[in-house]
Amino acid sequence: MGYETKTGAARRRPALPVAHHLRWPLGFTAAAATVFLAYYYLVPGLGPDGQQFFQTWLPLTSVNEALVWVICALGLNIVVGYAGLLDLGFVAFWALGGYTAGWLMSGFFHQVNIHVFGGGLPTLPGIHFNFWFVLLIGAAFCALWGVIIGAPTLRLKSDYLALVTLGFGEIIPQVFVNGEDIGGFNLSNGTKGITPVDPISFGPVELGPFDLVWKYLIFVGIAALVMFISLRLREGRLGRAWLAIREDELAAGMMGVPLMRTKLSAYAVGAVAGGLAGVAFATHVGGVLPDRFNFSISITLLAMVVLGGMGNVWGVTLGALVLAWINSTGLPQFGNTFNESFGTDINFPSYNYLLFGGILVLMMIFRREGILPEARTKLVLREPSRTEREALGADMEESAPELDEALEAEDAEREAVAAPGTEDTEDGLGEKAGSTV
Amino acid sequence: MTTASQETPRQAADAPPKLHADNITVKFGGLVAVNDVSFTIPDRSVVSLIGPNGAGKTTFFNVLTGLYRTTSGRVVLGDKDITNLVPHRIAGLGMARTFQNIRLFGLMTAEENVKVAMHSQLRSGPFHTVVRTRRQRREELQAREFARELLDFVGIGKFADEYARSLSYGDQRRLEIARALALRPSVLLLDEPTAGMNPQESARFTDFVHRLRAEKDLSVLLIEHDMSVVMQLSDRITVLDRGEKIAEGGPDDIRNDERVIEAYLGKSGRGKSA
Amino acid sequence: MAATATTVVAPTAIDRKALIQRYATYVILLGVVIWLGANLITSPSQFFSASAEGFNLGMLYALIALGYTLVYGIIELINFAHGDLFMLGALCSGFLLTTVMGQDQSNLMGWVLFLVTLVGTMVFCGGVNVSIEFLAYRRLRRAPKLAPLITAVGMSFILQFIGLKWNGSTPKQWPSVFPEGSFGIGDFRVSYSLLVVVAVTVPVLLLLRWVVTSTRQGKAMRAVAQDQDAARLMGVNVNRTISFTFLIGGALAGTAGVMYQQVVGTTAYNLGFQMGLIAFTSAVLGGIGNITGAVLGGVLIGLIQGINDGAPLGFGQKWSQTVVFTILILLMVFKPEGLLGRPTTEKV
């Protein structure tokens, strides 16, 4: 039995992992700093053409928005990529985070007048917390909701779980849309949303709508924090338990992993990232509008996670940046350019349905490990199955016709041997009993 | 990390049984899968559970490990009543198992597979993991050493960084045992461990269980179809047929038991070689 | 094994969790019944018309839910794209009947062309569904469960895109060939279109029942649902059987699409998402994998929604999604096997 593929894996884990662990953070910092310097010094110094180019193809607002997507996608990655729980309603956390910012950083609750290092004059009505507090509160609030949503549903089978999360993803935004009069109480200002949300402030300094470069720094910082936490958790006890659940839930339970608690923690940690993204997004656009929080957000996030490679923090980050840019800038601008050049009138942004749907389908069929796969996934998906015997125990494999035939032959053989004796009904009891078509 | 009571060495002579199951009955709807089976595993012994296909062996295993709930009856591990506890609690109390059809964490390395089973022994929470406190680092280091030790013990130490999926069939079986041992169990349940092995591999497995018993303080409960393995290893054998216990005793008693032969071969099957 | 099965087990006392779940289910059902009763007493005529409306919807849900349940029963996949298939059916119906054949009023010719459209749309949707299975799901049959699920979600988006290009981004109005008006006594009215829906749906359901229980293909379907490998060994062509299941599911979605387009008269590209989710809830309510359950669940959900939207004590239309999804979530938590389904355990 050959072990020819093991060299790559064996070298992957050096005894002293320091250098390995420093490489990525340094790279990230360098990239983030380059972008910052470019927008701070370089772009303003460019001629009108250069500025125009950046304004069209890579405006800083779309970079900032992409960072918000990164934060949120990393949260979803913990739930889907690490713990293997398909969540189709992640937009709920984004919305909850957004409304936390809306409630605590605006004049919406004009009945009261609370200021905690917040922006605006102390005489302004409403609740005005400082951005950083709101970030913390939003994260905690979403973690709480992660547990509330997770607790009753995590017992379910994976596909049912997907559906229930989807249900929550629909209910929570609908509550906000219809929330201007819940028993006489205006919770969310209905479809009008809550605007404006206070700008980010540091003591007396406030970031105005044009201080995008500084907002960029803040968002990059939050994204870096979420990435760091994701990576660190992955290496530890909790991360191992998550992966074990993803790989084989039943076996994980049998090996002493408390399933409910571990899954709930995945939900809570993921929701924290969703909440951070929600608060950040509210300050990015300066308001909260409920019609933004629809199902396609959840799917876009899922596409980001799938495209980059489920479970791989760097892949997901890259996937989120690319897709967010395509969605906000790339597709419309490409459309404009294309239509101008060829005199056509094609509505390119409407193609994002095709794009995201296509990404999900094609990635699942042809490259399940993602564009930038986690080392382990890549290795396994590339590697041919050794023998049929081993393949019997393997859950994750490509379908190979010749293998099917081999398995069939073997099954037939075993069945033929077993047939005259007693049937092994004991293990199959109840299985598929529900599917009485 | 284990509780003190488990670490104290005990003499096999008149020590209380490690595992004790009283009148276990399991019903699925109207089907009785296990009917009123009582059963004990003495300290540091190897007990086998045999019987024809569909006799309820795996169901019985699943009850012991908490996967199925008993309809009635009681399971006691050491001095703790573990009846109908959730699986991870039972595992934490020192009951470990392998699976009939291997269930490893395919996309995790062998070492990680073993470390997963240490979950209940490790204490570092998410905060310690993120900040990487001294305590967490020390704990991870210990976990790593213990994992390597176990992998060496089962003989696949050189594959510690391999993905479980890419190991050969036999090595996957070994890894499953290493993973189970990481729970520091007092009772180890092996579900058809030699399935798919050739005679030489089975023989090596028999040696391995002898060694396991000599070096680790634990009892083994074995489901096995290979009678030569069963006869060589077992101190006691329990025979199940159609959910009921039909015989119990040492290998020699079982070999000559009328009911056992009947259960295996059927009434008309007499005279055929076993 | 079966020989020893002498006694029927009563719910065991130790199983407290099951007991709690059982009672919670009763409480929820009781709550629904009380709510219905209160509505009935408050305004019988509104209750009646809302129920009729809901029953109408429920028939459509039942048709769509069957597609979910058949596919889930056979390959344990929630086919997220199924709702969007229904939407394509509605578009196809309008396209064939009004755009191609130019029929816009209710007369004899209208009925003939309606039947042509019905068959055409069934074929179209069945074909689309089979192609989806062939192009995508079939390749992922051995993949971990997450992969086909995500693929189904992606497929749903692709179908929505097709709908967007076909229908346009705004809702489209269509003329109906169904007779207008209603009949009845006093305030208790039933619209003629409901009659047509019943007249089409009931035979279709009976036909389906006959196919599944009495034909060779139906038996093959049940065999594959029980155990694919064993069915294959017994000479069942598994691939063809699964394709056949998708064909039937698609045809049913097509039927629902035609009905919807004719009764409601408005189509939109994102129609399928909501309808699909509600229909799936129906399938789960009835017990997924169970044909009778899907119909029962569909009608129940339809009634609940109709009464919520139309009756005096309802929350109103803007909350109807929330109501349905709350039912879904409560159901999943307390009775995931549904009304007619049976619980499942995992094999070790």
Side-chain angles (χ1 to χ4, degrees):
Chain A
M1 207 132 292
Y3 284 100
E4 56 281 341
T5 50
K6 75 161 182 288
T7 42
R11 247 186 265 127
R12 212 174 39 83
R13 238 155 234 261
L16 276 173
V18 180
H20 173 80
H21 281 278
L22 270 181
R23 211 163 60 214
W24 277 108
L26 285 178
F28 178 83
T29 315
T34 311
V35 174
F36 174 75
L37 293 174
Y39 278 98
Y40 196 67
Y41 291 110
L42 198 62
V43 176
L46 289 173
D49 280 351
Q51 286 200 16
Q52 183 62 34
F53 176 82
F54 269 91
Q55 206 54 46
T56 312
W57 288 102
L58 205 60
L60 200 46
T61 52
S62 81
V63 176
N64 287 355
E65 193 181 317
L67 286 169
V68 173
W69 282 98
V70 168
I71 298 166
C72 211
L74 286 171
L76 185 62
N77 180 49
I78 287 178
V79 182
V80 181
Y82 282 180
L85 309 164
L86 184 52
D87 186 337
L88 293 179
F90 208 71
V91 66
F93 298 120
W94 189 330
L96 286 167
Y99 273 92
T100 313
W103 292 322
L104 300 181
M105 290 178 74
S106 75
F108 176 60
F109 289 114
H110 50 82
Q111 305 91 328
V112 294
N113 189 345
I114 303 171
H115 288 258
V116 183
F117 305 109
L121 295 170
T123 50
L124 279 175
I127 306 176
H128 299 274
F129 276 62
N130 187 292
F131 171 73
W132 301 100
F133 289 121
V134 177
L135 218 47
L136 286 179
I137 297 168
F141 185 61
C142 281
L144 179 71
W145 271 96
V147 173
I148 291 174
I149 293 177
T153 56
L154 285 173
R155 226 177 279 276
L156 303 171
K157 288 200 293 184
S158 62
D159 38 8
Y160 278 29
L161 179 71
L163 221 81
V164 172
T165 52
L166 201 163
F168 272 112
E170 289 296 296
I171 288 177
I172 289 179
Q174 195 173 40
V175 167
F176 287 130
V177 170
N178 297 332
E180 72 249 308
D181 182 18
I182 295 180
F185 178 72
N186 185 353
L187 180 73
S188 66
N189 214 18
T191 48
K192 293 185 287 294
I194 301 174
T195 49
V197 165
D198 296 344
I200 300 171
S201 61
F202 303 86
V205 186
E206 265 186 20
L207 294 185
F210 299 107
D211 293 328
L212 291 173
V213 194
W214 300 107
K215 261 193 211 167
Y216 162 80
L217 268 192
I218 291 169
F219 290 177
V220 156
I222 299 172
L225 180 75
V226 177
M227 286 169 87
F228 177 75
I229 291 175
S230 300
L231 288 171
R232 277 279 167 98
L233 283 180
R234 166 65 195 85
E235 292 293 317
R237 169 177 178 260
L238 189 59
R240 280 195 300 267
W242 283 338
L243 254 72
I245 287 178
R246 183 185 81 184
E247 294 295 310
D248 189 333
E249 188 175 331
L250 193 142
M254 291 285 182
M255 292 305 134
V257 174
L259 298 179
M260 286 301 288
R261 207 186 312 157
T262 309
K263 289 199 218 170
L264 269 185
S265 63
Y267 256 57
V269 176
V272 163
L276 293 177
V279 174
F281 189 71
T283 56
H284 171 68
V285 295
V288 194
L289 292 167
D291 57 350
R292 279 200 64 114
F293 304 123
N294 53 37
F295 180 58
S296 61
I297 300 257
S298 299
I299 294 308
T300 309
L301 285 168
L302 187 65
M304 289 167 173
V305 174
V306 167
L307 180 70
M310 276 188 274
N312 178 357
V313 168
W314 302 101
V316 170
T317 306
L318 190 70
L321 286 174
V322 169
L323 286 191
W325 176 80
I326 288 177
N327 209 9
S328 70
T329 313
L331 211 51
Q333 288 305 335
F334 176 77
N336 287 346
T337 315
F338 185 90
N339 286 340
E340 269 168 34
S341 323
F342 296 95
T344 51
D345 185 24
I346 300 169
N347 180 8
F348 276 88
S350 71
Y351 280 77
N352 63 1
Y353 277 101
L354 185 64
L355 184 73
F356 291 122
I359 284 175
L360 290 178
V361 174
L362 295 178
M363 293 299 288
M364 279 299 118
I365 293 179
F366 296 111
R367 210 180 149 87
R368 226 178 295 149
E369 74 269 30
I371 292 291
L372 196 67
E374 208 190 1
R376 65 189 60 226
T377 336
K378 184 162 110 193
L379 187 82
V380 167
L381 291 175
R382 292 271 173 76
E383 174 186 308
S385 306
R386 292 254 166 78
T387 67
E388 305 104 62
R389 241 309 162 197
E390 290 159 31
L392 277 175
D395 287 335
M396 190 169 184
E397 63 182 304
E398 308 285 354
S399 68
E402 68 284 355
L403 186 65
D404 281 8
E405 274 160 34
L407 282 175
E408 249 175 77
E410 193 173 302
D411 281 350
E413 210 173 286
R414 262 190 305 165
E415 207 72 19
V417 173
T422 41
E423 272 173 36
D424 196 354
T425 51
E426 147 202 2
D427 294 329
L429 264 183
E431 207 220 21
K432 284 224 181 177
S435 31
T436 44
V437 172
Chain B
M1 279 297 172
T2 46
T3 54
S5 68
Q6 283 166 7
E7 278 174 1
T8 50
R10 267 158 297 184
Q11 291 319 111
D14 47 12
K18 269 275 168 61
L19 183 87
H20 186 77
D22 269 342
N23 308 90
I24 302 291
T25 299
V26 184
K27 297 176 186 176
F28 297 107
L31 273 178
V32 184
V34 174
N35 191 11
D36 199 29
V37 173
S38 295
F39 186 79
T40 56
I41 302 179
D43 198 21
R44 303 193 82 150
S45 62
V46 176
V47 177
S48 289
L49 198 57
I50 63 170
N53 278 333
K57 304 183 299 285
T58 298
T59 307
F60 191 68
F61 250 44
N62 288 341
V63 167
L64 294 184
T65 49
L67 191 63
Y68 293 166
R69 300 177 75 84
T70 55
T71 309
S72 64
R74 218 161 68 98
V75 187
V76 180
L77 176 67
D79 51 3
K80 283 212 171 62
D81 188 340
I82 58 164
T83 320
N84 295 335
L85 288 183
V86 285
H88 73 86
R89 289 283 315 282
I90 295 179
L93 290 171
M95 177 115 69
R97 74 172 288 175
T98 64
F99 297 89
Q100 194 175 329
N101 34 2
I102 302 172
R103 300 188 77 140
L104 288 166
F105 308 121
L107 295 187
M108 301 173 81
T109 63
E111 184 188 315
E112 279 179 314
N113 264 275
V114 177
K115 279 189 194 162
V116 167
M118 293 178 210
H119 190 90
S120 52
Q121 299 156 35
L122 301 179
R123 288 284 161 266
S124 299
F127 174 77
H128 289 274
T129 310
V130 170
V131 180
R132 224 167 246 177
T133 55
R134 180 185 294 259
R135 199 186 85 185
Q136 192 261 356
R137 274 178 298 169
R138 198 176 53 219
E139 197 178 79
E140 281 294 307
L141 215 65
Q142 282 168 354
R144 185 194 165 95
E145 270 167 24
F146 186 41
R148 300 265 169 171
E149 201 179 290
L150 286 173
L151 290 173
D152 284 334
F153 180 74
V154 300
I156 53 171
K158 60 187 168 198
F159 302 135
D161 287 324
E162 281 279 334
Y163 297 110
R165 249 191 66 95
S166 57
L167 295 180
S168 73
Y169 180 77
D171 288 343
Q172 289 192 4
R173 285 247 176 247
R174 289 156 189 254
L175 177 55
E176 261 209 326
I177 295 176
R179 185 178 68 174
L181 289 175
L183 280 164
R184 298 180 197 267
S186 52
V187 179
L188 177 64
L189 280 62
L190 302 173
D191 196 348
E192 297 196 22
T194 65
M197 286 187 181
N198 60 35
Q200 289 88 347
E201 285 173 322
S202 291
R204 251 183 301 167
F205 172 76
T206 313
D207 293 342
F208 172 73
V209 176
H210 281 305
R211 194 156 64 86
L212 192 67
R213 190 178 177 185
E215 294 181 25
K216 308 263 170 192
D217 174 31
L218 49 76
S219 303
V220 175
L221 174 59
L222 192 70
I223 292 183
E224 187 51 68
H225 279 303
D226 185 336
M227 282 307 143
S228 66
V229 172
V230 171
M231 294 301 165
Q232 278 179 51
L233 280 177
S234 315
D235 299 319
R236 271 146 64 92
I237 299 173
T238 298
V239 188
L240 288 186
D241 183 33
R242 300 173 184 224
E244 305 201 28
K245 184 162 84 178
I246 57 169
E248 192 169 27
D252 292 331
D253 307 332
I254 297 300
R255 221 188 301 258
N256 303 318
D257 190 295
E258 287 285 310
R259 292 187 66 191
V260 176
I261 296 167
E262 195 174 291
Y264 264 88
L265 302 173
K267 281 201 170 114
S268 59
R270 294 281 203 93
K272 282 186 198 168
S273 61
Chain C
M1 285 296 318
T4 56
T6 46
T7 49
V8 177
V9 205
T12 49
I14 50 164
D15 222 344
R16 217 158 27 107
K17 205 179 292 163
L19 221 62
I20 292 173
Q21 293 198 346
R22 177 180 294 245
Y23 282 120
T25 316
Y26 289 153
V27 168
I28 294 164
L29 282 178
L30 192 71
V32 171
V33 170
I34 290 174
W35 176 61
L36 292 181
N39 272 310
L40 176 64
I41 293 162
T42 319
S43 167
S45 65
Q46 268 191 47
F47 178 81
F48 185 77
S49 63
S51 307
E53 194 70 22
F55 186 71
N56 201 337
L57 266 178
M59 284 301 205
L60 301 186
Y61 291 152
L63 285 171
I64 308 173
L66 280 168
Y68 281 107
T69 241
L70 287 171
V71 167
Y72 192 90
I74 206 157
I75 55 172
E76 288 202 14
L77 165 74
I78 297 178
N79 184 7
F80 274 99
H82 194 74
D84 301 287
L85 190 69
F86 153 79
M87 175 272 297
L88 284 188
L91 297 191
C92 176
S93 164
F95 175 76
L96 286 180
L97 194 56
T98 309
T99 315
V100 176
M101 300 190 280
Q103 186 68 26
D104 57 1
Q105 48 203 326
S106 179
N107 51 30
L108 186 66
M109 196 59 196
W111 288 115
V112 174
L113 293 182
F114 167 73
L115 284 179
V116 173
T117 305
L118 185 63
V119 173
T121 308
M122 283 168 88
V123 171
F124 169 75
C125 285
V128 172
N129 215 17
V130 169
S131 324
I132 290 177
E133 195 272 334
F134 182 75
L135 291 174
Y137 304 153
R138 181 167 296 184
R139 297 158 187 271
L140 294 168
R141 233 176 258 161
R142 282 169 167 277
K145 225 170 181 181
L146 212 56
L149 259 182
I150 293 176
T151 311
V153 174
M155 273 298 166
S156 155
F157 256 53
I158 293 175
L159 294 191
Q160 272 195 52
F161 170 76
I162 297 172
L164 179 68
K165 289 293 149 195
W166 198 356
N167 187 74
S169 55
T170 49
K172 208 169 183 173
Q173 300 286 334
W174 300 95
S176 173
V177 299
F178 286 2
E180 278 176 41
S182 56
F183 67 96
I185 312 155
D187 284 340
F188 298 86
R189 318 287 310 172
V190 174
S191 64
Y192 289 114
S193 62
L194 174 59
L195 279 190
V196 181
V197 169
V198 173
V200 173
T201 309
V202 171
V204 167
L205 291 179
L206 290 177
L207 183 71
L208 175 74
R209 208 174 164 73
W210 176 76
V211 166
V212 171
T213 51
S214 307
T215 64
R216 233 180 110 74
Q217 264 311 327
K219 279 181 195 143
M221 276 167 70
R222 283 183 294 158
V224 173
Q226 283 293 322
D227 187 336
Q228 257 185 48
D229 295 326
R232 188 180 288 129
L233 290 169
M234 294 300 135
V236 174
N237 184 337
V238 171
N239 277 340
R240 206 177 59 203
T241 308
I242 292 176
S243 289
F244 180 72
T245 310
F246 273 84
L247 180 75
I248 292 190
L252 291 171
T255 314
V258 174
M259 299 294 147
Y260 184 91
Q261 185 262 341
Q262 284 299 306
V263 173
V264 180
T266 316
T267 55
Y269 75 96
N270 53 5
L271 172 72
F273 173 64
Q274 252 195 54
M275 289 289 283
L277 270 179
I278 297 175
F280 185 82
T281 308
S282 315
V284 174
L285 177 63
I288 193 142
N290 186 312
I291 289 182
T292 322
V295 176
L296 177 74
V299 172
L300 270 179
I301 294 273
L303 284 176
I304 290 172
Q305 197 191 342
I307 289 164
N308 174 65
D309 293 1
L313 295 181
F315 297 95
Q317 198 160 9
K318 66 177 186 175
W319 291 107
S320 71
Q321 259 200 67
T322 304
V323 169
V324 173
F325 289 137
T326 308
I327 293 172
L328 173 73
I329 290 165
L330 289 175
L331 203 70
M332 290 283 190
V333 174
F334 292 112
K335 203 167 167 52
E337 72 271 21
L339 295 176
L340 301 184
R342 276 177 291 166
T344 58
T345 48
E346 198 178 348
K347 187 173 175 169
V348 182

